[in-house]
Amino acid sequence: MRRYLAMERDADEPTERPDGVGEPIVHRGLWQRHASPITLLMLGTVLALAFAGFAGGQPSPRNESDFGGAALSIKTPAIIRNGEFFETDIIVRAVAPIDEAVLAVDAALWRDMTINTMIPAPADEEFRDHSFRFSYGPLKAGEALRVKIDGQINPPLFAGTRGGIAIYDGKRLIGRQPLRIKVLP
């Protein structure tokens, strides 16, 4: 029946096109054939912010504190992206002798993080007073303890975390360094 109706139409009237065949594409102007300048501007802005360090990936800052009996140096990322691996480098320099060097990491600082390795391994580990405590034995005056910690940011961690890393001589607090890690999606 369609064929019969098409034959009766005027020659000037276009016939019905098969499925999938539409009007031809007409190019009207230069910007309709290429990317929009707004899209290019947005992409350029995102790239500029990333290169400026607002998306993480910059060298980790070193936080140093002198507590009199010992000095504590911590190098860990200040800005990191969710799911990334990170490295923390801790150096404890004993100014005076320390009978039992203990590093204490606030549980809040490691919330939603996976700690993969800690080198060297501590002689003893425990959880007390809302912190993970790692005992490394005695340090003579002038000696240094260097600990490397490798970890990963877990997906639930959003916006960041804060806490501190402290150094103890046994149960006596020598000093505590507060830290904040900003986590981006």
Side-chain angles (χ1 to χ4, degrees):
M1 181 182 261
R2 239 185 236 194
R3 201 158 153 193
Y4 177 74
L5 291 174
M7 291 168 106
E8 290 182 6
R9 289 189 201 158
D10 222 3
D12 294 336
E13 188 177 326
T15 59
E16 191 174 317
R17 290 187 171 89
D19 288 341
V21 177
E23 293 293 322
I25 298 172
V26 178
H27 296 291
R28 296 191 179 126
L30 179 66
W31 289 112
Q32 290 180 351
R33 290 185 356 206
H34 299 287
S36 164
I38 295 171
T39 307
L40 292 174
L41 183 63
M42 288 173 50
L43 178 62
T45 302
V46 169
L47 289 173
L49 290 173
F51 283 126
F54 292 106
Q58 299 299 315
S60 299
R62 186 167 288 281
N63 300 301
E64 297 189 10
S65 300
D66 187 359
F67 303 117
L72 181 62
S73 175
I74 304 167
K75 183 179 178 183
T76 194
I79 300 173
I80 192 167
R81 300 197 56 90
N82 197 302
E84 283 190 333
F85 291 95
F86 67 93
E87 181 177 287
T88 299
D89 185 38
I90 301 171
I91 301 171
V92 177
R93 286 189 178 81
V95 176
I98 298 174
D99 294 329
E100 183 185 359
V102 177
L103 283 177
V105 179
D106 291 347
L109 184 65
W110 280 355
R111 177 184 55 86
D112 289 326
M113 291 186 191
T114 299
I115 303 304
N116 298 324
T117 58
M118 182 178 285
I119 301 171
D124 190 29
E125 302 171 345
E126 69 176 340
F127 184 82
R128 183 176 3 133
D129 299 327
H130 306 287
S131 64
F132 300 100
R133 295 174 184 242
F134 307 98
S135 300
Y136 285 95
L139 287 178
K140 296 176 187 173
E143 272 190 323
L145 166 68
R146 186 173 192 160
V147 179
K148 179 182 179 282
I149 301 168
D150 293 317
Q152 181 179 8
I153 305 295
N154 293 336
L157 185 55
F158 179 74
T161 184
R162 64 179 64 216
I165 297 178
I167 182 166
Y168 285 82
D169 185 353
K171 293 183 180 182
R172 181 181 64 85
L173 176 67
I174 296 174
R176 181 177 182 277
Q177 173 66 46
L179 294 171
R180 182 178 187 284
I181 299 172
K182 184 177 181 179
V183 179
L184 301 174

